[in-house]
Amino acid sequence: MCNVYPELKPFVFENRHQTITIDFAKPKAVKALNTALLLKDYGIKFWEFPEENLCPPIPGRVDYIHHIVHLLKTVKEKDAIKILDIGTGASCIYPLLGHAEYNWNFVATDIDEKSLKNAQKIIDKNKLQDSIALRHQKDSSQIFNGILKEDDAFSISICNPPFFNSEEEADEATTRKLKNLGKSTDKLVRNFSGTNTELAYKGGEKAFLHTYLYESSLHKENCEWFTTLVSKKDLVKGIQKSLKKLGATEVKVVSMGQGNKISRILAWRF
């Protein structure tokens, strides 16, 4: 890996178990590792974004991409896969991976203009302008409204929602993570970084997801499938009930596991 991306080398060491690794509590080490993975495995030559922005773990993100392939086998236009990425962030990670792995086309959205500006730079540097387009969501309380055009036709929407109700709640999660890593909690440093808009939403994950569900029912003609990650398992039953009331004709829950972290993809259509 260091041969492909020499900038990773300063962060690599042998731990007491004689395993070659990095310090996952250090944001710069985490970012260097994920940049190396993108270059080595997916041919992404440029992937730069501000230090404060969320650095997505590549294995988990590509796992989502691989899982939705099974859903896409059921779409009508199999030769023209077009994905809507809700909240692409400064890293533009899902469009990069989806195009690299399957040559899909994307429209990616975000509420943060600075993030979109950086995402556009990544797109331009990797010469992906013909495959990935960006749209600015001007109203942070909306998800599809104000973004989708009447004639838009997407195979599927994907989303990695903000999990926390506030920045304080995100800090509490960081404190727990640092303790689990055996690190000091005197100075909170998120190993994957992340701005408040990337990590938090008023009402937390539950509120965001219910807005997502409701708005999907208003735009059922624009996407064949709607999907999202769901972090909290206890939200799934309530979401399934909501989707039934909204008229969803098919609902799937797909388990995902990366290391000790268990998550799930919720998918539905009308």
Side-chain angles (χ1 to χ4, degrees):
M1 194 82 73
C2 293
N3 291 337
V4 176
Y5 189 69
E7 290 86 343
L8 175 63
K9 193 172 183 179
F11 302 106
V12 176
F13 67 97
E14 185 177 297
N15 65 18
R16 58 190 177 89
H17 302 293
Q18 297 182 322
T19 300
I20 302 300
T21 186
I22 65 165
D23 187 345
F24 283 93
K26 293 182 177 179
K28 288 185 178 181
V30 170
K31 188 175 182 179
L33 176 62
N34 284 286
T35 303
L37 285 170
L38 276 181
L39 179 58
K40 179 179 180 293
D41 294 338
Y42 305 102
I44 305 300
K45 296 179 180 178
F46 180 87
W47 196 58
E48 290 290 341
F49 48 90
E51 297 294 336
E52 65 266 22
N53 284 109
L54 184 68
C55 179
I58 304 307
R61 298 302 191 263
V62 79
D63 204 17
Y64 190 169
I65 293 293
H66 289 325
H67 273 94
I68 65 172
V69 171
H70 302 292
L71 297 173
L72 290 171
K73 289 178 181 178
T74 68
V75 304
K76 296 169 188 173
E77 301 295 334
K78 294 181 181 178
D79 294 328
I81 299 299
K82 191 174 182 181
I83 314 290
L84 178 64
D85 177 25
I86 301 296
T88 198
S91 68
C92 198
I93 191 58
Y94 285 118
L96 293 177
L97 291 172
H99 183 269
E101 283 288 89
Y102 299 106
N103 204 33
W104 295 336
N105 292 320
F106 281 80
V107 168
T109 76
D110 208 277
I111 63 172
D112 189 322
E113 287 187 275
K114 288 183 179 179
S115 290
L116 287 176
K117 185 176 180 180
N118 194 88
Q120 188 64 58
K121 185 177 179 181
I122 292 173
I123 292 166
D124 294 343
K125 290 280 189 179
N126 289 290
K127 299 179 180 179
L128 295 172
Q129 299 94 325
D130 293 337
S131 302
I132 305 170
L134 301 177
R135 293 182 190 175
H136 180 219
Q137 172 56 271
K138 296 177 182 178
D139 186 344
S140 61
S141 69
Q142 305 292 313
I143 296 173
F144 296 107
N145 294 339
I147 282 292
L148 288 177
K149 302 172 183 177
E150 191 174 341
D151 60 348
D152 275 334
F154 292 97
S155 310
I156 198 166
S157 73
I158 61 175
C159 181
N160 186 11
F163 295 141
F164 304 109
N165 181 47
S166 64
E167 192 167 7
E168 289 73 23
E169 191 177 56
D171 286 342
E172 289 173 7
T174 299
T175 299
R176 290 194 297 271
K177 185 185 289 187
L178 288 172
K179 286 180 178 178
N180 290 336
L181 290 170
K183 301 293 182 180
S184 170
T185 58
D186 293 339
K187 183 180 179 182
L188 290 185
V189 178
R190 299 181 188 127
N191 59 340
F192 284 99
S193 300
T195 64
N196 191 42
T197 55
E198 290 172 321
L199 299 174
Y201 182 85
K202 187 177 180 180
E205 182 182 19
K206 183 178 181 179
F208 181 94
L209 289 176
H210 279 283
T211 301
Y212 189 94
L213 303 182
Y214 173 68
E215 288 193 19
S216 74
S217 72
L218 303 178
H219 298 281
K220 61 183 76 173
E221 303 300 324
N222 296 113
C223 283
E224 292 204 39
W225 280 99
F226 298 88
T227 73
T228 182
L229 288 178
V230 181
S231 176
K232 298 181 177 71
K233 184 180 179 181
D234 59 0
L235 294 178
V236 173
K237 285 187 178 180
I239 291 171
Q240 290 172 315
K241 288 179 182 178
S242 295
L243 284 170
K244 187 176 181 180
K245 290 179 182 178
L246 290 168
T249 56
E250 190 172 358
V251 180
K252 294 178 180 287
V253 181
V254 181
S255 295
M256 277 180 33
Q258 286 291 330
N260 295 324
K261 184 178 180 181
I262 303 297
S263 186
R264 55 215 50 84
I265 299 169
L266 190 78
W268 66 97
R269 59 178 170 178
F270 295 94

